[in-house]
Amino acid sequence: MIRVSRLNAGMILIVGLVTYGCSGSGTDTPSPEPVDQGKDRKAILTHWADNIIIPSYSSFKLKLDALTAKSDAFAAKPETASLVELRKAWIEAYNEWQKAELFDVGPGAKRAIRSYYNIYPTHVQGILANIENPSSSLETTVSFDRQGFPALDYLINGVGTTDAAIVAFYTAPDAGAKRIAYIKRVTEHMQSLLTAVITDWNGAYHNEFITKTGTDIGSPMGELVNGYVLHYERYIRSGKFGIPSGAMLNGVVAADKVEAFYQKDISKRLAQTAHQAVEDFFNGKSVKTDAEGPSFKSYLNALGAKDSATGQSLSKIINAQFAASKAKIDALGPDLHQQVIENNQAMKDVYTVLQKAVRMLKVDMTSAMSITITYTDNDGD
């Protein structure tokens, strides 16, 4: 019994020493580095999808549904009252579209929804030809400028100088029915495109978007950044201001190329809405709550991105430039066509201040995020 007790004591001593050695070595193991939430691209992509992009399309869908209903009501009873209601619904839907147009990624890019919805100036002769040929396709690239909001602009505002004359255009004994039918064709095609885009976002693409978190060419973030910058550069800076003012056309003024040419008094409103949407997206503003979430701003801050000239936070500099651009746009008259005619320098000034933001987004922001710009433009950036 005595020999057994000594053996047990020795074993206990050995176990104790091993245990002590193991616990001592564990204290030297470094703790894992804390995850920087600002650099969590999955969180950013999820916030964009669930709180901004899909809700923006859903909000627009409500406005497009209302537009479609009013166009059907006008078709059933073409008169001044139904025309006025149709026009109101068109304005509201057109304005709401400005908030969703910038999402040129995934389903929207695949279906070229922006090109089908908002290429202006519209092609009047092409529209009239399509009216005469009901079997003409709206699915071709040549048809882009014969449909969407600009085509409806002509059809409900530009076919006559008064509401009575416009109604007469659609109640003409021989051609009226064909003309009304084209309005229906345009709205139905818009509905079809939007339904497909929303279905994809609510389906398999949603998971693809939030789980492919790289920044390489072809990644959701890479594509969205390219689409976002392109939208600001080409469709806001150039389309809404640079081309009509002549700043993009070697000084050749083109007032007739303003957005909503036949309902000119909403052209500034559309530009304001589009610019605000770009700023809100940069800051991750939720469509549901208005609160800011993961965004370009938070990501740049997490990366420690600085303005090379001043050393200030790059996101702060970009937001300051957005504010300067907004102030210039707000100072314009409501009718950008008239603005070009009466004081075109103010339009050029907007173009200039927008161009400064383009450089920040296209060069500084993308460099900080290690994202390659894959589209080309002839503005020298």
Side-chain angles (χ1 to χ4, degrees), residues 83 87 90-91 94 119-128 145-163 166 170 255-267 270 334-338:
L83 173 64
R87 185 178 293 129
W90 168 79
I91 292 172
Y94 204 175
I119 297 298
Y120 56 91
T122 198
H123 193 306
V124 172
Q125 293 305 314
I127 291 172
L128 296 177
D145 58 3
R146 305 177 184 192
Q147 58 186 297
F149 286 109
L152 291 174
D153 183 22
Y154 169 71
L155 291 167
I156 64 177
N157 299 311
V159 296
T161 56
T162 64
D163 285 354
I166 293 172
Y170 292 104
D256 60 328
K257 290 182 170 57
V258 298
E259 194 170 18
F261 175 73
Y262 298 97
Q263 184 68 43
K264 301 177 182 66
D265 59 354
I266 68 166
S267 51
L270 298 179
D335 179 344
L336 297 187
H337 178 270
Q338 197 65 22

Side-chain angles (χ1 to χ4, degrees), residues 4 10 22 128 142 146 155 170 178 209 221 263 283 341:
V4 173
C22 289
L128 296 177
V142 75
R146 305 177 184 192
L155 291 167
Y170 292 104
K178 289 191 296 185
F209 183 79
M221 182 169 276
Q263 184 68 43
N283 292 299
I341 294 172

Side-chain angles (χ1 to χ4, degrees), residues 147-338:
Q147 58 186 297
F149 286 109
L152 291 174
D153 183 22
Y154 169 71
L155 291 167
I156 64 177
N157 299 311
V159 296
T161 56
T162 64
D163 285 354
I166 293 172
V167 170
F169 181 79
Y170 292 104
T171 54
D174 297 328
K178 289 191 296 185
R179 294 165 178 170
I180 286 179
Y182 193 67
I183 293 179
K184 188 172 182 64
R185 280 190 68 196
V186 170
T187 56
E188 285 181 345
H189 191 226
M190 293 174 77
Q191 284 280 8
S192 175
L193 286 167
L194 182 63
T195 297
V197 169
I198 291 176
T199 298
D200 283 357
W201 267 106
N202 287 320
Y205 183 74
H206 178 272
N207 186 64
E208 177 183 340
F209 183 79
I210 67 174
T211 56
K212 293 185 176 180
T213 58
T215 59
D216 53 306
I217 295 173
S219 66
M221 182 169 276
E223 288 185 353
L224 190 142
V225 170
N226 269 270
Y228 174 87
V229 177
L230 173 66
H231 177 72
Y232 194 83
E233 178 179 19
R234 187 175 297 171
Y235 295 96
I236 296 181
R237 181 209 62 173
S238 299
K240 298 181 192 300
F241 299 101
I243 292 174
S245 69
M248 291 289 295
L249 299 174
N250 296 318
V252 178
V253 177
D256 60 328
K257 290 182 170 57
V258 298
E259 194 170 18
F261 175 73
Y262 298 97
Q263 184 68 43
K264 301 177 182 66
D265 59 354
I266 68 166
S267 51
K268 173 187 170 182
R269 177 186 173 187
L270 298 179
Q272 287 174 309
T273 301
H275 190 272
Q276 188 63 53
V278 166
E279 180 179 348
D280 289 346
F281 188 80
F282 179 84
N283 292 299
K285 186 176 180 181
S286 170
V287 172
K288 297 177 178 179
T289 66
D290 284 344
E292 290 188 4
S295 61
F296 287 145
K297 181 176 79 172
S298 64
Y299 190 50
L300 290 172
N301 289 344
L303 292 171
K306 304 291 184 182
D307 173 55
S308 58
T310 65
Q312 294 186 55
S313 161
L314 180 57
S315 68
K316 183 178 180 180
I317 293 292
I318 292 174
N319 268 316
Q321 195 59 40
F322 281 151
S325 301
K326 181 180 184 300
K328 288 289 186 182
I329 296 171
D330 289 348
L332 299 173
D335 179 344
L336 297 187
H337 178 270
Q338 197 65 22

